Amino acid sequence: MKILIPKALRRGEVIGLISPSSTCAEPEKIDRAVTYLERSGYRVRTSRYLNRAEHDPAHTDQYKLHDLHQMFADRDVRAIFCLRGGAGATRLLDRINYSLIAANPKILVGYSDITALSLAVFRKTGLVNFSGPMAATELFAPSSYTEEHFWGMLTDPGYSKHLTNFSEHAISCISPGAVTGRLIGGNLSVLSSLVGTPYLPLFSGSILFTEDVNEPAYRIDRMLSHLFNAGLAQKCRGLMFGQFSKSPSDENRDYRFDKIFTYYTNRMHEGAPVMTGLSYGHIRELMTLPIGARCRLEISPERFAFGAVDAPVSC
């Protein structure tokens, strides 16, 4: 696969907003996000059907596909930010014009349900894109950590070489090691739903990162077992578990999650590094991660080093 690297975003350039997943019930957050982006030095172009609510998914999908294609076709737009996650992105995958995207490579950012779009775009086009904050969930009022990682990743080709965890997110080394591989991952529920489809990137030789929100331990166990039963996860060179936000009904949650992560670590090949606590997930202090970029991970009880070997944006 030919890897496509988008150009770094520069002040004064145009950012497009699209909503491939759910709509935002608080439109004032969209206005605040636009204001924030403009104050940060960028021009903002909202898509024609941004945040348009429809009960009929057939109509909704037409609007979403129109906006996605229009933003990639628009030569003035240099980056595309998603509004929020939720649901619905997986319905679009078999009707996306991937040739259009490959012919117009540019920055694409989103996480959660946008995982489906991010992984499909990389698998079908080779375009490195970004799992990170979205307009109506973080960018209307980003934390300083989220803000630093976000703009650093999108604007500075050298920033991604050394990525640091948020100071209050404790890292745990389950299995030490050091590897290099293409970074693949996102929301575990969405990622696991792509198994068996042509939209899931190859896992062989990759570093897998994942997170989830409001999922009890037994469901996380089921999804991870699905990845192993499909012969995928054990092909990865390393695993990074992010923040698995707590389900209120999940008693003894931390203990159960630790046991699950250790169990699947033992099913990896010998020497594969595995860690928990990555600053990635449905959290306020959110790391922006470059899907498809070649990265290096080194983890031990004393050391955590992680970053891109090849810059995910070009000058």
Side-chain angles (χ1 to χ4, degrees), residues 151-201:
W151 294 120
M153 185 68 73
L154 303 188
T155 64
D156 180 0
Y159 180 87
S160 61
K161 290 183 179 180
H162 304 286
L163 299 177
T164 57
N165 228 45
F166 181 59
S167 59
E168 295 182 20
H169 292 158
I171 291 175
S172 176
C173 172
I174 304 180
S175 177
V179 294
T180 299
R182 293 218 174 268
L183 193 63
I184 299 296
N187 178 262
L188 181 59
S189 296
V190 178
L191 185 150
S192 65
S193 75
L194 298 183
V195 172
T197 75
Y199 308 109
L200 187 66

CSV table of all heavy atoms in Angstrom, one decimal, residues 151-201:
chain,number,residue,atom,x,y,z
A,151,TRP,N,-2.9,20.4,18.2
A,151,TRP,CA,-2.2,21.4,17.3
A,151,TRP,C,-0.8,21.0,17.0
A,151,TRP,O,-0.3,21.1,15.8
A,151,TRP,CB,-2.3,22.8,17.8
A,151,TRP,CG,-3.7,23.3,17.9
A,151,TRP,CD1,-4.3,23.8,19.0
A,151,TRP,CD2,-4.6,23.5,16.8
A,151,TRP,NE1,-5.6,24.2,18.7
A,151,TRP,CE2,-5.8,24.0,17.4
A,151,TRP,CE3,-4.6,23.2,15.4
A,151,TRP,CZ2,-6.9,24.3,16.6
A,151,TRP,CZ3,-5.7,23.5,14.7
A,151,TRP,CH2,-6.8,24.0,15.2
A,152,GLY,N,-0.1,20.4,18.0
A,152,GLY,CA,1.3,19.9,17.7
A,152,GLY,C,1.3,18.9,16.6
A,152,GLY,O,2.1,18.9,15.7
A,153,MET,N,0.4,17.9,16.7
A,153,MET,CA,0.3,16.8,15.8
A,153,MET,C,0.0,17.3,14.4
A,153,MET,O,0.5,16.8,13.4
A,153,MET,CB,-0.7,15.8,16.3
A,153,MET,CG,-0.8,14.5,15.4
A,153,MET,SD,0.7,13.5,15.6
A,153,MET,CE,0.5,12.8,17.2
A,154,LEU,N,-1.0,18.2,14.3
A,154,LEU,CA,-1.5,18.6,12.9
A,154,LEU,C,-0.6,19.7,12.3
A,154,LEU,O,-0.7,19.8,11.0
A,154,LEU,CB,-2.9,19.1,13.1
A,154,LEU,CG,-3.9,18.2,13.6
A,154,LEU,CD1,-5.3,18.8,13.5
A,154,LEU,CD2,-3.9,16.8,13.0
A,155,THR,N,0.2,20.4,13.0
A,155,THR,CA,0.9,21.6,12.4
A,155,THR,C,2.4,21.4,12.4
A,155,THR,O,3.1,22.1,11.6
A,155,THR,CB,0.6,22.9,13.2
A,155,THR,OG1,1.1,22.7,14.5
A,155,THR,CG2,-0.9,23.1,13.3
A,156,ASP,N,3.0,20.5,13.2
A,156,ASP,CA,4.4,20.4,13.3
A,156,ASP,C,4.9,18.9,12.9
A,156,ASP,O,4.6,18.0,13.7
A,156,ASP,CB,4.9,20.7,14.7
A,156,ASP,CG,6.4,20.6,14.9
A,156,ASP,OD1,7.1,20.3,13.9
A,156,ASP,OD2,6.8,20.9,16.0
A,157,PRO,N,5.5,18.7,11.8
A,157,PRO,CA,5.9,17.4,11.4
A,157,PRO,C,6.8,16.7,12.4
A,157,PRO,O,6.9,15.5,12.5
A,157,PRO,CB,6.7,17.6,10.1
A,157,PRO,CG,6.1,18.9,9.5
A,157,PRO,CD,5.8,19.7,10.7
A,158,GLY,N,7.5,17.5,13.2
A,158,GLY,CA,8.4,16.9,14.2
A,158,GLY,C,7.8,16.6,15.6
A,158,GLY,O,8.4,15.9,16.4
A,159,TYR,N,6.6,17.1,15.8
A,159,TYR,CA,6.0,17.0,17.1
A,159,TYR,C,5.8,15.6,17.5
A,159,TYR,O,5.9,15.2,18.7
A,159,TYR,CB,4.7,17.8,17.2
A,159,TYR,CG,4.0,17.8,18.5
A,159,TYR,CD1,4.3,18.7,19.5
A,159,TYR,CD2,3.1,16.8,18.8
A,159,TYR,CE1,3.7,18.7,20.7
A,159,TYR,CE2,2.5,16.7,20.0
A,159,TYR,CZ,2.8,17.7,21.0
A,159,TYR,OH,2.2,17.6,22.2
A,160,SER,N,5.4,14.8,16.6
A,160,SER,CA,4.9,13.4,16.9
A,160,SER,C,6.0,12.5,17.3
A,160,SER,O,5.8,11.3,17.7
A,160,SER,CB,4.2,12.8,15.7
A,160,SER,OG,5.0,12.8,14.6
A,161,LYS,N,7.3,12.9,17.2
A,161,LYS,CA,8.4,12.0,17.5
A,161,LYS,C,8.4,11.6,19.0
A,161,LYS,O,8.8,10.5,19.3
A,161,LYS,CB,9.7,12.7,17.2
A,161,LYS,CG,10.0,12.8,15.7
A,161,LYS,CD,11.3,13.4,15.4
A,161,LYS,CE,11.6,13.6,13.9
A,161,LYS,NZ,12.9,14.2,13.6
A,162,HIS,N,8.0,12.5,19.9
A,162,HIS,CA,8.0,12.2,21.3
A,162,HIS,C,6.6,12.6,21.9
A,162,HIS,O,6.4,13.8,22.1
A,162,HIS,CB,9.1,12.9,22.0
A,162,HIS,CG,10.5,12.6,21.4
A,162,HIS,ND1,11.1,11.4,21.6
A,162,HIS,CD2,11.3,13.3,20.6
A,162,HIS,CE1,12.3,11.4,20.9
A,162,HIS,NE2,12.4,12.6,20.3
A,163,LEU,N,5.8,11.6,22.1
A,163,LEU,CA,4.4,11.9,22.7
A,163,LEU,C,4.4,11.6,24.2
A,163,LEU,O,4.9,10.5,24.6
A,163,LEU,CB,3.4,11.1,21.9
A,163,LEU,CG,3.3,11.5,20.4
A,163,LEU,CD1,2.2,10.6,19.7
A,163,LEU,CD2,2.9,12.9,20.2
A,164,THR,N,3.9,12.4,25.0
A,164,THR,CA,3.9,12.2,26.4
A,164,THR,C,2.4,12.0,26.9
A,164,THR,O,1.5,12.6,26.4
A,164,THR,CB,4.4,13.5,27.1
A,164,THR,OG1,3.7,14.6,26.8
A,164,THR,CG2,5.9,13.6,26.7
A,165,ASN,N,2.3,11.1,27.9
A,165,ASN,CA,1.0,10.9,28.5
A,165,ASN,C,0.7,12.0,29.4
A,165,ASN,O,1.5,12.8,29.9
A,165,ASN,CB,1.1,9.6,29.3
A,165,ASN,CG,0.0,8.6,29.1
A,165,ASN,OD1,-0.4,8.4,27.9
A,165,ASN,ND2,-0.6,8.1,30.1
A,166,PHE,N,-0.7,12.2,29.7
A,166,PHE,CA,-1.1,13.2,30.7
A,166,PHE,C,-0.6,12.7,32.1
A,166,PHE,O,-0.6,11.6,32.4
A,166,PHE,CB,-2.6,13.2,30.7
A,166,PHE,CG,-3.2,14.2,31.7
A,166,PHE,CD1,-2.8,15.6,31.6
A,166,PHE,CD2,-4.0,13.8,32.7
A,166,PHE,CE1,-3.3,16.5,32.5
A,166,PHE,CE2,-4.6,14.7,33.6
A,166,PHE,CZ,-4.2,16.1,33.5
A,167,SER,N,-0.1,13.7,32.8
A,167,SER,CA,0.6,13.4,34.1
A,167,SER,C,-0.2,12.6,35.1
A,167,SER,O,0.3,11.8,35.9
A,167,SER,CB,1.1,14.7,34.7
A,167,SER,OG,0.0,15.6,35.0
A,168,GLU,N,-1.6,12.7,35.0
A,168,GLU,CA,-2.4,12.1,36.0
A,168,GLU,C,-2.9,10.7,35.5
A,168,GLU,O,-3.7,10.1,36.2
A,168,GLU,CB,-3.6,13.0,36.4
A,168,GLU,CG,-3.1,14.2,37.1
A,168,GLU,CD,-4.3,15.1,37.6
A,168,GLU,OE1,-5.4,14.6,37.7
A,168,GLU,OE2,-4.1,16.3,37.8
A,169,HIS,N,-2.5,10.3,34.3
A,169,HIS,CA,-2.9,9.0,33.8
A,169,HIS,C,-1.8,8.0,34.0
A,169,HIS,O,-0.7,8.1,33.4
A,169,HIS,CB,-3.3,9.1,32.3
A,169,HIS,CG,-4.5,9.9,32.0
A,169,HIS,ND1,-4.7,10.4,30.8
A,169,HIS,CD2,-5.6,10.2,32.8
A,169,HIS,CE1,-5.9,11.1,30.8
A,169,HIS,NE2,-6.4,10.9,32.0
A,170,ALA,N,-1.9,7.2,35.0
A,170,ALA,CA,-0.9,6.2,35.4
A,170,ALA,C,-0.7,5.2,34.3
A,170,ALA,O,-1.7,4.5,33.9
A,170,ALA,CB,-1.2,5.6,36.7
A,171,ILE,N,0.5,5.0,33.9
A,171,ILE,CA,0.9,3.9,32.9
A,171,ILE,C,1.3,2.7,33.7
A,171,ILE,O,2.0,2.7,34.6
A,171,ILE,CB,2.0,4.4,32.0
A,171,ILE,CG1,1.5,5.5,31.1
A,171,ILE,CG2,2.5,3.2,31.2
A,171,ILE,CD1,2.5,6.1,30.2
A,172,SER,N,0.8,1.5,33.2
A,172,SER,CA,1.2,0.2,33.8
A,172,SER,C,1.8,-0.6,32.7
A,172,SER,O,1.2,-0.8,31.6
A,172,SER,CB,0.0,-0.5,34.4
A,172,SER,OG,0.3,-1.7,34.8
A,173,CYS,N,2.9,-1.2,32.9
A,173,CYS,CA,3.6,-2.1,32.0
A,173,CYS,C,3.2,-3.5,32.3
A,173,CYS,O,3.5,-4.0,33.3
A,173,CYS,CB,5.1,-1.9,32.0
A,173,CYS,SG,6.0,-3.2,31.1
A,174,ILE,N,2.4,-4.1,31.4
A,174,ILE,CA,2.0,-5.5,31.6
A,174,ILE,C,3.1,-6.4,31.0
A,174,ILE,O,3.4,-7.5,31.6
A,174,ILE,CB,0.6,-5.8,30.9
A,174,ILE,CG1,-0.4,-4.8,31.4
A,174,ILE,CG2,0.2,-7.2,31.1
A,174,ILE,CD1,-1.8,-5.1,30.8
A,175,SER,N,3.6,-6.0,29.9
A,175,SER,CA,4.7,-6.8,29.2
A,175,SER,C,5.7,-5.8,28.6
A,175,SER,O,5.4,-5.0,27.8
A,175,SER,CB,4.1,-7.7,28.1
A,175,SER,OG,5.2,-8.4,27.5
A,176,PRO,N,7.0,-5.9,29.0
A,176,PRO,CA,8.0,-5.0,28.5
A,176,PRO,C,8.4,-5.3,27.1
A,176,PRO,O,8.3,-6.5,26.7
A,176,PRO,CB,9.1,-5.1,29.5
A,176,PRO,CG,9.0,-6.5,30.0
A,176,PRO,CD,7.6,-6.8,30.0
A,177,GLY,N,8.9,-4.3,26.4
A,177,GLY,CA,9.5,-4.5,25.1
A,177,GLY,C,9.6,-3.2,24.3
A,177,GLY,O,9.1,-2.2,24.8
A,178,ALA,N,10.2,-3.3,23.1
A,178,ALA,CA,10.3,-2.2,22.2
A,178,ALA,C,10.1,-2.7,20.8
A,178,ALA,O,10.7,-3.6,20.4
A,178,ALA,CB,11.7,-1.6,22.4
A,179,VAL,N,9.2,-2.0,20.1
A,179,VAL,CA,8.8,-2.4,18.8
A,179,VAL,C,8.5,-1.2,17.9
A,179,VAL,O,8.3,-0.1,18.4
A,179,VAL,CB,7.6,-3.3,18.7
A,179,VAL,CG1,7.9,-4.7,19.4
A,179,VAL,CG2,6.4,-2.6,19.4
A,180,THR,N,8.6,-1.4,16.6
A,180,THR,CA,8.2,-0.4,15.6
A,180,THR,C,7.1,-1.0,14.7
A,180,THR,O,7.2,-2.2,14.3
A,180,THR,CB,9.4,0.1,14.8
A,180,THR,OG1,10.3,0.7,15.6
A,180,THR,CG2,8.9,1.1,13.7
A,181,GLY,N,6.0,-0.3,14.4
A,181,GLY,CA,5.0,-0.8,13.6
A,181,GLY,C,4.0,0.3,13.2
A,181,GLY,O,4.0,1.4,13.8
A,182,ARG,N,3.1,0.0,12.3
A,182,ARG,CA,2.1,1.0,11.9
A,182,ARG,C,1.0,1.1,13.0
A,182,ARG,O,0.5,0.0,13.5
A,182,ARG,CB,1.5,0.6,10.6
A,182,ARG,CG,2.4,0.8,9.4
A,182,ARG,CD,1.8,1.3,8.2
A,182,ARG,NE,2.9,1.5,7.2
A,182,ARG,CZ,3.5,2.7,7.0
A,182,ARG,NH1,3.2,3.7,7.8
A,182,ARG,NH2,4.5,2.8,6.1
A,183,LEU,N,0.6,2.3,13.3
A,183,LEU,CA,-0.3,2.5,14.4
A,183,LEU,C,-1.8,2.3,13.9
A,183,LEU,O,-2.2,3.0,13.0
A,183,LEU,CB,-0.2,3.9,15.0
A,183,LEU,CG,-0.8,4.1,16.3
A,183,LEU,CD1,-0.3,3.3,17.4
A,183,LEU,CD2,-0.7,5.6,16.7
A,184,ILE,N,-2.5,1.3,14.5
A,184,ILE,CA,-3.8,1.0,14.1
A,184,ILE,C,-4.7,0.9,15.3
A,184,ILE,O,-4.2,0.4,16.4
A,184,ILE,CB,-3.9,-0.4,13.4
A,184,ILE,CG1,-3.1,-0.4,12.1
A,184,ILE,CG2,-5.4,-0.7,13.1
A,184,ILE,CD1,-3.5,0.6,11.0
A,185,GLY,N,-5.9,1.5,15.3
A,185,GLY,CA,-6.8,1.3,16.5
A,185,GLY,C,-7.9,2.3,16.5
A,185,GLY,O,-8.3,2.9,15.5
A,186,GLY,N,-8.4,2.5,17.7
A,186,GLY,CA,-9.6,3.4,18.0
A,186,GLY,C,-10.5,2.7,19.0
A,186,GLY,O,-10.1,1.9,19.8
A,187,ASN,N,-11.7,3.1,18.9
A,187,ASN,CA,-12.7,2.5,19.8
A,187,ASN,C,-12.9,1.1,19.6
A,187,ASN,O,-13.1,0.6,18.4
A,187,ASN,CB,-14.1,3.3,19.5
A,187,ASN,CG,-15.2,2.7,20.4
A,187,ASN,OD1,-16.0,1.9,20.0
A,187,ASN,ND2,-15.2,3.2,21.7
A,188,LEU,N,-12.8,0.3,20.6
A,188,LEU,CA,-12.8,-1.2,20.5
A,188,LEU,C,-14.2,-1.7,19.9
A,188,LEU,O,-14.2,-2.6,19.1
A,188,LEU,CB,-12.6,-1.8,21.9
A,188,LEU,CG,-12.5,-3.3,21.9
A,188,LEU,CD1,-11.5,-3.9,21.0
A,188,LEU,CD2,-12.3,-3.8,23.3
A,189,SER,N,-15.3,-1.2,20.4
A,189,SER,CA,-16.6,-1.7,19.9
A,189,SER,C,-16.7,-1.5,18.4
A,189,SER,O,-17.2,-2.4,17.7
A,189,SER,CB,-17.7,-0.9,20.6
A,189,SER,OG,-17.7,-1.2,22.0
A,190,VAL,N,-16.3,-0.3,17.9
A,190,VAL,CA,-16.4,0.0,16.5
A,190,VAL,C,-15.4,-0.8,15.7
A,190,VAL,O,-15.7,-1.4,14.7
A,190,VAL,CB,-16.2,1.5,16.2
A,190,VAL,CG1,-16.2,1.8,14.7
A,190,VAL,CG2,-17.3,2.3,16.9
A,191,LEU,N,-14.2,-0.9,16.2
A,191,LEU,CA,-13.1,-1.7,15.5
A,191,LEU,C,-13.5,-3.1,15.4
A,191,LEU,O,-13.4,-3.7,14.3
A,191,LEU,CB,-11.8,-1.5,16.3
A,191,LEU,CG,-10.6,-2.1,15.7
A,191,LEU,CD1,-9.3,-1.4,16.2
A,191,LEU,CD2,-10.4,-3.6,16.1
A,192,SER,N,-14.0,-3.7,16.4
A,192,SER,CA,-14.4,-5.1,16.4
A,192,SER,C,-15.5,-5.4,15.4
A,192,SER,O,-15.6,-6.5,14.8
A,192,SER,CB,-14.7,-5.7,17.8
A,192,SER,OG,-15.9,-5.0,18.3
A,193,SER,N,-16.4,-4.4,15.2
A,193,SER,CA,-17.5,-4.6,14.2
A,193,SER,C,-17.0,-4.6,12.8
A,193,SER,O,-17.8,-5.0,11.9
A,193,SER,CB,-18.5,-3.4,14.4
A,193,SER,OG,-18.0,-2.2,13.9
A,194,LEU,N,-15.8,-4.2,12.5
A,194,LEU,CA,-15.2,-4.2,11.2
A,194,LEU,C,-14.5,-5.5,10.8
A,194,LEU,O,-14.1,-5.7,9.7
A,194,LEU,CB,-14.3,-3.0,11.0
A,194,LEU,CG,-14.8,-1.6,11.2
A,194,LEU,CD1,-13.8,-0.6,10.9
A,194,LEU,CD2,-16.0,-1.4,10.2
A,195,VAL,N,-14.4,-6.4,11.8
A,195,VAL,CA,-13.7,-7.7,11.5
A,195,VAL,C,-14.5,-8.4,10.5
A,195,VAL,O,-15.8,-8.5,10.6
A,195,VAL,CB,-13.6,-8.5,12.8
A,195,VAL,CG1,-13.1,-9.9,12.5
A,195,VAL,CG2,-12.7,-7.8,13.8
A,196,GLY,N,-13.8,-8.9,9.5
A,196,GLY,CA,-14.5,-9.7,8.4
A,196,GLY,C,-15.0,-8.8,7.2
A,196,GLY,O,-15.5,-9.3,6.3
A,197,THR,N,-14.7,-7.5,7.4
A,197,THR,CA,-15.1,-6.5,6.3
A,197,THR,C,-13.8,-6.1,5.6
A,197,THR,O,-12.7,-6.2,6.1
A,197,THR,CB,-15.8,-5.3,6.8
A,197,THR,OG1,-14.8,-4.4,7.5
A,197,THR,CG2,-16.9,-5.7,7.8
A,198,PRO,N,-13.9,-5.5,4.4
A,198,PRO,CA,-12.7,-5.0,3.7
A,198,PRO,C,-12.3,-3.7,4.1
A,198,PRO,O,-11.4,-3.0,3.5
A,198,PRO,CB,-13.2,-5.0,2.2
A,198,PRO,CG,-14.7,-4.7,2.3
A,198,PRO,CD,-15.1,-5.5,3.5
A,199,TYR,N,-12.8,-3.2,5.3
A,199,TYR,CA,-12.5,-1.8,5.7
A,199,TYR,C,-11.6,-1.8,6.9
A,199,TYR,O,-11.2,-0.8,7.4
A,199,TYR,CB,-13.8,-1.1,6.1
A,199,TYR,CG,-14.8,-1.1,4.9
A,199,TYR,CD1,-15.9,-1.9,5.0
A,199,TYR,CD2,-14.5,-0.5,3.7
A,199,TYR,CE1,-16.8,-2.0,3.9
A,199,TYR,CE2,-15.3,-0.5,2.6
A,199,TYR,CZ,-16.5,-1.3,2.7
A,199,TYR,OH,-17.4,-1.4,1.7
A,200,LEU,N,-11.2,-3.0,7.4
A,200,LEU,CA,-10.3,-3.1,8.6
A,200,LEU,C,-8.8,-3.2,8.1
A,200,LEU,O,-8.5,-4.1,7.3
A,200,LEU,CB,-10.6,-4.3,9.4
A,200,LEU,CG,-9.9,-4.4,10.7
A,200,LEU,CD1,-10.3,-3.3,11.7
A,200,LEU,CD2,-10.2,-5.7,11.4
A,201,PRO,N,-7.9,-2.3,8.5
A,201,PRO,CA,-6.5,-2.4,8.1
A,201,PRO,C,-5.9,-3.7,8.5
A,201,PRO,O,-6.4,-4.4,9.4
A,201,PRO,CB,-5.9,-1.2,8.7
A,201,PRO,CG,-7.0,-0.3,9.0
A,201,PRO,CD,-8.2,-1.1,9.3
